[in-house]
Amino acid sequence: MQSGVSMKASLEGTLSETETSYAIELQKLQDTISRLEAELFQVRTDASRQAIEYTQLLDVKSRLETEIATYHHLLEGEESSKSTICEIQKVSSITGGRGKSSGRP
């Protein structure tokens, strides 16, 4: 009988130690989960912010490309005008100015 009581006390002690050990491990795991959830929230927040910034940058890029295309078009128009003026001046010098309007009817 004495050995049964002693064994029961030993097993209860082991059970208590095991419960304490598992409670500590459970708390560590819960702390890890909380930390990872906080990190995940931060990553999602950063990803959302970066997506907004990316959209804004694409918008700026698009507007700059449009502006550059406009300047190219204007420059091509100036070059075309200069080319036309040079052609008129060449023809005028060849014909001795007869191609010009003298202002008389």
Side-chain angles (χ1 to χ4, degrees), residues 72-86:
H72 277 291
H73 179 70
L74 290 173
L75 288 173
E76 288 172 359
E78 284 181 14
E79 289 174 5
S80 176
S81 293
K82 288 178 184 177
S83 175
T84 302
I85 291 171
C86 287

Side-chain angles (χ1 to χ4, degrees), residues 38-52:
E39 286 180 27
L40 179 60
F41 176 78
Q42 186 62 46
V43 166
R44 286 181 174 157
T45 301
D46 290 345
S48 176
R49 180 186 47 77
Q50 288 178 356
I52 291 168

Side-chain angles (χ1 to χ4, degrees), residues 3-5 9 13 18 26 28 37 40-41 44 50-52 54 61 63 74 86 91 95:
S3 67
V5 171
T18 302
L26 179 60
K28 287 179 184 178
E37 285 175 340
L40 179 60
F41 176 78
R44 286 181 174 157
Q50 288 178 356
I52 291 168
Y54 179 75
K61 178 185 177 244
R63 284 187 275 136
L74 290 173
C86 287
V91 169
T95 59

